[in-house]
Amino acid sequence: MLAITSASNAKYKYIKSLYLKKNRQKYKEYTVEGIKSVNDALKSKQHVSMIAVSESFLASGTEIPDNIETLLLSDFLFERLCETGTPQGILAVIKMNRGGDFKADTSKGYVYCDNISDPGNLGTVIRTADAAGMGAVLLSPGCADLYSPKTVRASMGSFFNIETIADFSHERLLDMKKEGFSLIGGALGENSVDYRSADYKAPAVIIVGNEANGISEELLLECRAVKIPILGSAESLNAAVAAGILMYEFVRNRS
């Protein structure tokens, strides 16, 4: 275990740099904070290249893997390293391993995030897709960063359980349509039908659009637009909530 006593330490500065998207992309590594997230990463056999712990965490006696490089920081330095307001005293640096070959399975359903901009919403969609047993979460170019600490935290561990593919273009989605997948998009429009009346029997991709602008116009022309009734005074549903309702409607119809 290596004790770090200064914020000018090269390893400390490296971990700090990974909170910026450009550096995550450059070094192909990202961070996760908290006991649950670190344990979930270890259980799912992620390549954890480094762990950092605070002195208080070490004193608690919580077990730390002995085969991974571990940095020991004062509580003060550790808190300066984290984004969360009340850090739990442990974080991990993990190598990216997403975006490999993807082959759709017609026995499963998928969810496509079309320019979702909020990392909290993206993480919640990932968590819900995992709970609903979806095949994967597909992200259009322009989505919130998959490796943002906020995305990982919002997924509550599901980030490591379900396949997620970033930069999944509209063209690749239309290829899935040619392969027999129905594209079902949540949209409030004149041509939208009640989500309960759509056909979910065929293999399907549930599409959820940008929080402010909805599904891209070019993509909306290619999908079956469905709407979730608004019974109160709200103008619309949160994007992640809408995605969850549609995913579970798909599951209900397929069971």
Side-chain angles (χ1 to χ4, degrees), residues 105-111 133-137 181 203-206 250 254:
D105 183 344
T106 54
S107 69
K108 298 180 179 180
Y110 297 87
V111 58
M134 304 299 278
V137 180
F181 283 87
V205 181
I206 303 299
F250 169 80
R254 298 276 286 186

Side-chain angles (χ1 to χ4, degrees), residues 1 38-39 42 48 51 53 57 62-70 90:
M1 187 174 295
V38 173
N39 283 337
L42 292 169
V48 178
I51 289 175
V53 298
F57 185 87
T62 304
E63 186 177 354
I64 302 170
D66 57 10
N67 60 338
I68 299 172
E69 180 181 12
T70 302
I90 185 169

Side-chain angles (χ1 to χ4, degrees), residues 9-236:
N9 177 275
K11 291 183 182 292
Y12 185 93
K13 292 169 68 175
Y14 174 72
I15 296 174
K16 189 77 171 176
S17 76
L18 295 178
Y19 283 92
L20 293 178
K21 181 179 179 180
K22 66 177 183 180
N23 290 325
R24 292 194 292 270
Q25 292 176 330
K26 178 180 179 180
Y27 299 114
K28 304 302 180 186
E29 292 195 316
Y30 63 103
T31 60
V32 298
E33 298 178 18
I35 298 170
K36 184 180 187 306
S37 292
V38 173
N39 283 337
D40 286 338
L42 292 169
K43 288 177 183 177
S44 62
K45 308 300 183 183
Q46 299 297 309
H47 187 154
V48 178
S49 59
M50 193 185 310
I51 289 175
V53 298
S54 68
E55 291 177 341
S56 293
F57 185 87
L58 182 65
S60 72
T62 304
E63 186 177 354
I64 302 170
D66 57 10
N67 60 338
I68 299 172
E69 180 181 12
T70 302
L71 310 181
L72 176 62
L73 314 175
S74 69
D75 291 0
F76 174 73
L77 280 179
F78 190 89
E79 288 176 4
R80 290 181 63 187
L81 195 59
C82 297
E83 277 196 341
T84 51
T86 55
Q88 296 179 344
I90 185 169
L91 66 78
V93 176
I94 305 175
K95 291 189 179 298
M96 296 181 180
N97 64 350
R98 313 285 172 121
D101 292 337
F102 170 76
K103 183 171 178 58
D105 183 344
T106 54
S107 69
K108 298 180 179 180
Y110 297 87
V111 58
Y112 185 79
C113 297
D114 189 34
N115 291 307
I116 292 289
S117 62
D118 182 82
N121 280 338
L122 178 56
T124 302
V125 170
I126 293 171
R127 179 182 181 183
T128 309
D130 178 25
M134 304 299 278
V137 180
L138 313 173
L139 282 61
S140 74
C143 266
D145 182 16
L146 176 61
Y147 295 97
S148 163
K150 293 180 180 178
T151 302
V152 179
R153 284 199 302 273
S155 78
M156 292 296 290
S158 290
F159 185 85
F160 304 114
N161 298 337
I162 185 169
E163 186 175 15
T164 49
I165 306 295
D167 295 321
F168 199 90
S169 67
H170 288 176
E171 288 73 23
R172 293 179 72 182
L173 189 62
L174 295 181
D175 285 341
M176 290 181 69
K177 183 178 181 181
K178 294 175 184 176
E179 294 168 5
F181 283 87
S182 297
L183 305 185
I184 300 175
L188 293 172
E190 293 181 1
N191 297 323
S192 299
V193 300
D194 188 291
Y195 78 101
R196 291 162 292 192
S197 65
D199 179 13
Y200 297 89
K201 297 297 183 183
V205 181
I206 303 299
I207 303 173
V208 56
N210 175 267
E211 292 87 346
N213 302 312
I215 297 172
S216 308
E217 288 188 16
E218 61 180 90
L219 195 53
L220 194 57
L221 294 173
E222 299 287 345
C223 70
R224 180 56 162 159
V226 298
K227 59 185 175 183
I228 300 169
I230 302 294
L231 306 179
S233 301
E235 291 185 1
S236 62

Side-chain angles (χ1 to χ4, degrees), residues 234-253:
E235 291 185 1
S236 62
L237 285 172
N238 171 274
V241 171
I245 292 172
L246 297 181
M247 281 188 267
Y248 271 93
E249 184 66 10
F250 169 80
V251 171
R252 186 183 71 82
N253 279 269

